[in-house]
Amino acid sequence: MNDRDIALEEAGAAEEDAAAAERAERWRAAFERRESTREVRWPRRAVVTAGMPYGNKALHFGHIAGVFVPADCFARFLRDRIGAGNVRFVSGTDCFGSPINEGYRKLVEAGEFDGSIAEYVKRNHDAQKATLDAYGISLSIYEGSGLGHAGEVHRHISERFITELHEAGVLQRRSTLQFFDVQANTFLNGRQVVGHCPVQGCKSEHGYADECDLGHSYAPEDLIAPKSTLTGTVPEMRPVENWYFDLPAYRDFLRGYVDELRADPEVRAIVPQVIEEFLGAPVMYVKNDLREQFDAVAEKLPAHTLREAEKGKQSFEVGFASIDERDEARGVLEAAGIRFRTGKALVPFRITGNIEWGVEAPVIDGLEGLTVWCWPESLWAPISFTMAANDALGLPRGSWRDWWCAPDAQVFQFIGQDNLYFYGVAQTAMWEALSKRDLLSGQPTDEPLRQTRLVANHHILFGNKKASSSGAVKPPTADELLEHYTVEQLRAHFLALGLDQKSVGFKPKPFLATEEEKADPRVADPVLKEGALLTNVFNRLARSCFYEAQKNFGGRMPLGAPSPEAVEKVHDTMRTYDFTMHRVELHAIMSQMDEFIRWANKRWTDGIRAATNDDDAAARRQVLLDSFYLLRVACLLMHPVVPAGCELICDYLDFAPEDFFSWNYDFEDMGELCSAGEIDAGSHPVRELPPRFDFFKKHPSQL
């Protein structure tokens, strides 16, 4: 390279540096202007979580629709809103727990799998990851509680959590009864026992060792009609020692927490509603026809209150001051042969167990050979994943605190309503127990773990029934849906369902319609309603802009001031969108965008028709300028919903994605994205669009 080439290269580099510095300053100034005037406040950094699928199965549509797509939409929005480097979107396979042991055991016994349980989990994890990739779920990390570097971090964090809880004086060493299969000569855990949930009012027929499939927790000895899944026999109850978190001690704290949640208009009503259900006094329910037997032993019970059965009710209530007194009463009633059900209440939260496949628990006070119960370690797993993600970026190990502890950070946890007991009750109390201690060092701290924001969705039904991969109604897998719909059709539909408001039915025509209905084009497919906005209206707006630019403007987008009506519409829409996203009301986002895109498309259609009829070149230029401006904003706001199509439009517009999908502009015109030379020339070149091109395609089966 000669001196002239070197000089030219250095000059070019200096020009690029100057342009980058100018762009950064423009972003900073725009950001500060917007921050000083807007109504909502976004955190500086954020973590978004999406639960943890068990490592014993593929993902069904409920995993994708109920948690992963909403979480991904919100995480993508936050990256555009506060910067990609300030967001961690974390999840992973739940590698431990009795469902995995059972799934593995059944496959091995059936001769369908001959590897280790770790290999079984890894196989399922890889399948889950492939499905998430297919749906465009943009996780910062998807490893597992027992896989890869994240698994190593998780083992360390589990030890630290349990040690710190013990040091804080909130762990109890308790001898409890556990199911034991005499024929198999083994203790039974979790789903190795099945029976009927003992919680009053629960309709679940899938009660397991100490929780049912509807999220109710109870003492193992309360399970009704238990049966071992290993041998089909009725198991015995034998004593074991484990560590428990003193959850009942936090009832008053949780009541105050519920009051705060109810006062916050941005917290979904179901969150405080479910948490409060567990905060009443411990209660037993006894059938009215057993009243005489009860009265005969009532004096042997601890102090209690008796509430007569309400009109039409079949049971009267017996209330106690503490869970220990209720447990004492259990023995009295059982000895007298009196059956009862228990009410929802705070019970000691199990931390360790005796299952072999699990995270090894630290040895404390000589109690060894234990593993961590899968639920508590699932609660702190997102912290482990955040650490592992930061490690992959080369950040200091302590940087996780910037996301989980800093006052200007926020954690958004997307979960299903069935898991609110664990995330809203147990996790909240454990975080409070460590509110004065640093997790890693154990030293006092002014910035402990901050309480997370729980974004709980209601059930997504299959048709009109609750879908469960373990239930009688088998839902389609997430992969099977992609044989009939595009990813973007499904993402838009799932978000529009409104699971933040109520349980809603998912009614895909290929799976639920009769053969006659499938063959009848007059029978609409509800899943395609939102897709029509994409494949028809949004497509038409984008194509019209490009084809008009190619036909009459030399393949260039005109620059200048958009019409005041267009600017007003954009700013009003963005303001409403920002507020709505802050409330995480994703179904409302879909409604707003439907209105905005249709408005922009109609404005194009009416404007270009008038300009053509009047043969008005200036009007034609203004209509195209306005429409590209509206298209830019439509792409930015739809980017979290349907990222692939919006990124394709950005590519054909020939803008850098990090600029195009950023809120750090004034949104007054398109010149904000262009170079000084393009602004002087009054236009920006766009890529040539092929004929009959679709940014948002229909599925081949729909053609």
Side-chain angles (χ1 to χ4, degrees):
M1 182 179 292
N2 57 38
D3 291 343
R4 179 176 179 276
D5 290 336
I6 293 174
L8 288 173
E9 184 175 281
E10 290 178 345
E15 184 177 344
E16 288 180 6
D17 290 343
E22 179 184 353
R23 183 169 63 245
E25 175 59 26
R26 186 169 67 238
W27 282 6
R28 184 196 61 77
F31 179 78
E32 290 182 353
R33 281 194 298 274
R34 292 184 64 83
E35 291 296 297
S36 65
T37 59
R38 64 184 176 83
E39 297 177 359
V40 297
R41 289 284 180 268
W42 291 102
R44 183 180 180 186
R45 294 185 180 89
V47 175
V48 178
T49 75
M52 294 178 68
Y54 275 130
N56 65 331
K57 64 183 72 174
L59 301 179
H60 65 70
F61 81 88
H63 292 118
I64 297 295
V67 178
F68 277 104
V69 166
D72 183 69
C73 175
F74 192 69
R76 286 179 180 274
F77 163 76
L78 285 176
R79 292 189 188 111
D80 295 343
R81 190 68 181 81
I82 66 175
N86 296 321
V87 180
R88 298 289 182 268
F89 179 23
V90 302
S91 181
T93 300
D94 191 345
C95 297
F96 305 108
S98 58
I100 294 162
N101 285 58
E102 273 298 278
Y104 173 69
R105 180 186 67 82
K106 290 177 180 178
L107 283 186
V108 171
E109 288 185 356
E112 298 176 16
F113 191 81
D114 61 0
S116 67
I117 191 169
E119 291 169 334
Y120 167 72
V121 171
K122 182 63 166 63
R123 183 190 71 172
N124 291 326
H125 165 81
D126 291 344
Q128 292 172 358
K129 180 65 165 62
T131 300
L132 294 172
D133 289 343
Y135 275 84
I137 307 301
S138 58
L139 287 152
S140 305
I141 185 172
Y142 191 78
E143 287 191 10
S145 53
L147 298 172
H149 178 59
E152 297 173 4
V153 174
H154 187 59
R155 283 191 290 273
H156 174 64
I157 295 306
S158 296
E159 180 176 335
R160 292 302 312 157
F161 245 99
I162 295 172
T163 300
E164 287 306 311
L165 289 172
H166 183 261
E167 290 296 321
V170 295
L171 286 191
Q172 301 172 335
R173 181 173 178 168
R174 296 172 66 94
S175 178
T176 60
L177 296 176
Q178 184 171 331
F179 292 108
F180 185 85
D181 188 320
V182 177
Q183 185 172 322
N185 193 33
T186 185
F187 280 103
L188 303 175
N189 289 277
R191 300 198 180 191
Q192 292 176 328
V193 183
V194 294
H196 303 309
C197 179
V199 174
Q200 178 73 5
C202 180
K203 303 300 183 182
S204 173
E205 295 299 314
H206 297 282
Y208 305 114
D210 50 14
E211 63 170 324
C212 76
D213 62 348
L214 296 183
H216 299 141
S217 293
Y218 42 81
E221 51 266 41
D222 288 343
L223 181 64
I224 299 172
K227 181 185 294 185
S228 168
T229 62
L230 302 185
T231 63
T233 60
V234 177
E236 294 181 355
M237 301 299 295
R238 296 189 179 180
V240 293
E241 283 195 313
N242 274 296
W243 289 107
Y244 287 77
F245 170 64
D246 187 9
L247 185 55
Y250 288 85
R251 186 164 69 177
D252 289 342
F253 165 76
L254 289 169
R255 283 173 173 166
Y257 177 67
V258 165
D259 290 341
E260 292 177 7
L261 295 180
R262 289 197 187 283
D264 188 340
E266 296 196 345
V267 174
R268 295 178 181 177
I270 192 173
V271 177
Q273 174 187 323
V274 171
I275 295 174
E276 191 171 43
E277 291 175 357
F278 293 91
L279 303 185
V283 173
M284 286 178 161
Y285 296 87
V286 181
K287 291 283 190 181
N288 294 332
D289 57 11
L290 297 175
R291 180 58 179 270
E292 186 175 337
Q293 293 96 310
F294 175 84
D295 289 341
V297 299
E299 292 185 356
K300 299 179 182 179
L301 300 177
H304 60 276
T305 58
L306 192 148
R307 183 179 178 185
E308 300 294 349
E310 296 178 359
K311 185 176 181 179
K313 297 292 185 180
Q314 298 180 352
S315 302
F316 59 90
E317 299 179 14
V318 186
F320 301 90
S322 71
I323 196 68
D324 288 334
E325 289 173 322
R326 191 187 75 176
D327 287 345
E328 182 181 343
R330 175 194 290 116
V332 175
L333 297 187
E334 287 176 345
I338 300 174
R339 291 189 58 184
F340 57 86
R341 281 182 177 264
T342 54
K344 295 179 183 178
L346 296 182
V347 298
F349 185 61
R350 183 155 63 95
I351 298 295
T352 63
N354 311 88
I355 191 170
E356 182 178 350
W357 175 246
V359 178
E360 184 177 346
V363 177
I364 300 176
D365 293 348
L367 192 54
E368 56 185 2
L370 302 178
T371 52
V372 186
W373 185 37
C374 65
W375 257 116
E377 51 103 349
S378 295
L379 299 178
W380 55 70
I383 300 176
S384 305
F385 294 152
T386 303
M387 290 181 178
N390 283 0
D391 287 348
L393 295 171
L395 298 177
R397 176 55 62 89
S399 64
W400 69 276
R401 297 182 181 88
D402 294 336
W403 276 266
W404 284 87
C405 304
D408 57 357
Q410 181 68 65
V411 178
F412 301 86
Q413 294 194 289
F414 285 73
I415 59 174
Q417 69 176 75
D418 287 350
N419 291 333
L420 272 169
Y421 170 78
F422 298 103
Y423 288 92
V425 178
Q427 175 182 288
T428 302
M430 284 198 297
W431 266 224
E432 173 63 15
L434 299 179
S435 62
K436 295 179 174 59
R437 304 177 68 87
D438 179 80
L439 177 60
L440 294 187
S441 69
Q443 299 300 311
T445 179
D446 294 328
E447 291 190 359
L449 287 171
R450 301 188 69 224
Q451 295 294 347
T452 64
R453 180 173 171 189
L454 301 177
V455 186
N457 276 336
H458 291 258
H459 296 128
I460 181 167
L461 311 176
F462 185 44
N464 295 317
K465 298 180 180 179
K466 184 182 177 183
S468 170
S469 56
S470 60
V473 180
K474 299 297 182 185
T477 66
D479 293 337
E480 287 172 335
L481 288 178
L482 296 180
E483 298 173 5
H484 302 274
Y485 305 100
T486 68
V487 167
E488 301 203 319
Q489 287 173 334
L490 289 169
R491 286 177 65 104
H493 180 65
F494 291 152
L495 292 170
L497 285 176
L499 295 174
D500 54 323
Q501 303 291 310
K502 60 182 179 179
S503 295
V504 183
F506 174 57
K507 302 176 180 179
K509 181 178 176 180
F511 293 90
L512 291 177
T514 65
E515 292 303 319
E516 292 77 10
E517 290 171 335
K518 291 177 184 177
D520 189 346
R522 296 171 298 177
V523 177
D525 187 341
V527 179
L528 296 179
K529 177 184 177 183
E530 294 75 24
L533 175 70
L534 305 175
T535 57
N536 296 337
V537 189
F538 204 174
N539 254 341
R540 190 181 309 126
L541 174 64
R543 288 187 304 215
S544 297
C545 289
F546 282 97
Y547 289 147
E548 175 65 18
Q550 290 170 198
K551 181 179 179 181
N552 294 310
F553 291 84
R556 302 181 74 86
M557 175 180 68
L559 299 178
S563 301
E565 297 84 359
V567 174
E568 182 181 9
K569 182 67 174 180
V570 160
H571 285 209
D572 285 347
T573 299
M574 292 186 70
R575 189 179 304 111
T576 302
Y577 181 106
D578 199 38
F579 178 77
T580 305
M581 194 63 87
H582 201 266
R583 297 173 66 98
V584 201
E585 293 178 346
L586 303 181
H587 73 288
I589 290 292
M590 291 300 302
S591 297
Q592 292 166 15
M593 293 313 301
D594 184 281
E595 189 276 334
F596 178 77
I597 293 170
R598 292 183 188 279
W599 185 91
N601 188 70
K602 186 176 188 303
R603 185 177 177 84
W604 157 261
T605 301
D606 294 346
I608 201 67
R609 181 187 298 117
T612 300
N613 291 340
D614 296 341
D615 195 22
D616 188 335
R620 178 180 292 274
R621 184 181 189 280
Q622 188 65 49
V623 169
L624 184 58
L625 187 157
D626 285 355
S627 296
F628 268 121
Y629 169 69
L630 294 169
L631 178 63
R632 168 204 178 181
V633 174
C635 285
L636 172 66
L637 302 187
M638 285 296 284
H639 184 229
V641 180
V642 284
C646 294
E647 289 168 7
L648 189 59
I649 293 173
C650 170
D651 184 42
Y652 272 89
L653 284 171
D654 202 20
F655 287 122
E658 59 269 23
D659 293 344
F660 191 75
F661 297 111
S662 171
W663 282 64
N664 288 339
Y665 286 96
D666 288 329
F667 293 94
E668 298 294 339
D669 55 43
M670 294 297 287
E672 298 173 314
L673 299 172
C674 300
S675 67
E678 290 173 336
I679 294 173
D680 290 341
S683 64
H684 165 79
V686 296
R687 291 178 55 194
E688 183 175 354
L689 195 69
R692 297 182 295 279
F693 186 82
D694 285 327
F695 290 102
F696 303 96
K697 302 180 184 297
K698 294 183 178 180
H699 192 275
S701 67
Q702 299 162 12
L703 301 177

